[in-house]
Amino acid sequence: MNNINVKLPISINDVREAKFILKNNSRISPLVKSFYLSGKSGGEVYLKLENMQLTGSFKFRGAFNKISHLSKEEKSKGVIACSAGNHAQGVALSCHLQGIRSKIVMPVDAPKAKISATEGYGAEVVLFGDSFDEAKAKCLEIQKETGETFIAPYDDPYVMAGQGTIGLEILDEIWDVDTVIVPVGGGGLISGMAVALKAFNPLINIIGVQAERVHGMAASFKEGKITPHKEGSTLADGCAVQTPGVLTFEIVNELVTDMILVSEDEIELAMKDLIQRTKSVVEGGGALATAAILSGKVDKYVRNKKVVAVISGGNVDLSRISDIMGHFLTANELIN
């Protein structure tokens, strides 16, 4: 592992090109020091706030980069995608900005905030299935019938390169970063970032985090081959991908240092602490890196190190935030 010289699906030049394309179209998201997490972990911890990105998620970067590379013919057919919510919004806004029709297939239990936002950006939303994988199967079925251009949520070189621009932004501000902790679903974010970061310094630790209940990439990383995994639903719905991408796994298997699993309670605590201590509203998937730090499961990569935890998204229903905060308030009342 950690061999940047191996021929991979994308290169640092692909990420640099994506950075140029996104320069006037996306935000450079804030990178802020968290004194709370630094004190808790014994490291110097910074948060890369992609919940402040356009559409409230890092997904806009990859979607815009991919759609920018489509031919005129591909654009004229319209675009179709599948998503639990964040890729949906990234594709919808990217298409809106470039004058392209878009259709998004989402699971029926996708957060209402994500469905509403996707429609608000002008996309046609089709609700189908109880999981991302079922929505993806339906999406591909529709695509065969209509001939619309499919935009993969993670397993695509242009998508990965777009997400990798986050790594370049981190290096622009903290060139001597030791560890970068990244939420993982299908692997588009961590694979793109790993290429960008490792090209600069092969010694940077790239740590992926997934939920215990759904962790296809972590299972694959452990087994050294694509290995699906799903035991139930998770608060990290945006990262609930049972089977990782083929291209993304290839990069993760070569460049990622470790994969960590966190529980639902640990995710919930991280969401609460991010609101209470850092004033950031974060969805379950976006809180995975913070959950790993608070749980102590990444101490050897964090203590006495310069660390960046990626907050990948903030698109969460207010009802879920209310439930989580209510749960902790009730627990405190019982203790007192």
Side-chain angles (χ1 to χ4, degrees), residues 12 15-16 19 164-173 196-197:
I12 185 60
V15 182
R16 287 174 179 147
K19 183 179 181 181
T165 59
I166 298 171
L168 297 182
E169 288 180 14
I170 290 170
L171 292 171
D172 284 343
E173 295 195 54
L197 293 164

Side-chain angles (χ1 to χ4, degrees), residues 8-28:
L8 296 171
I10 64 169
S11 70
I12 185 60
N13 289 332
D14 297 316
V15 182
R16 287 174 179 147
E17 181 197 36
K19 183 179 181 181
F20 177 79
I21 289 171
L22 289 166
K23 183 178 180 181
N24 296 317
N25 296 289
S26 68
R27 292 174 180 157
I28 296 176

Side-chain angles (χ1 to χ4, degrees), residues 45 179-183 190 193 205-209 260 288-290 292-293 298 301-302 307-311:
V45 180
T179 300
V180 179
I181 307 174
V182 187
I190 194 171
M193 289 187 65
N205 290 310
I206 313 292
I207 312 299
V209 189
I260 304 298
L288 286 171
T290 303
I293 293 172
V298 290
Y301 303 113
V302 173
V307 179
V308 173
V310 178
I311 306 299

Side-chain angles (χ1 to χ4, degrees), residues 220-261:
S220 301
F221 183 82
K222 179 180 178 181
E223 297 297 327
K225 61 181 181 180
I226 299 288
T227 306
H229 180 279
K230 182 178 181 181
E231 294 177 4
S233 61
T234 173
L235 281 169
D237 54 85
C239 293
V241 180
Q242 179 177 335
T243 305
V246 174
L247 301 179
T248 57
F249 171 68
E250 185 179 343
I251 294 175
V252 168
N253 198 43
E254 286 292 339
L255 301 184
V256 169
T257 309
D258 204 354
M259 291 288 302
I260 304 298
L261 300 180

Side-chain angles (χ1 to χ4, degrees), residues 18 30 43 53 57 62 90 94 105 114 119 148 188 218 233 291 314 324-325:
Q53 186 53 257
S57 162
S94 296
V105 184
K114 295 183 179 182
E119 292 175 331
E148 293 164 312
S233 61
I324 289 171
M325 299 308 290

Side-chain angles (χ1 to χ4, degrees), residues 257-271:
T257 309
D258 204 354
M259 291 288 302
I260 304 298
L261 300 180
V262 292
S263 69
E264 295 303 297
D265 286 344
E266 288 163 344
I267 297 169
E268 189 176 58
L269 175 64
M271 293 174 71

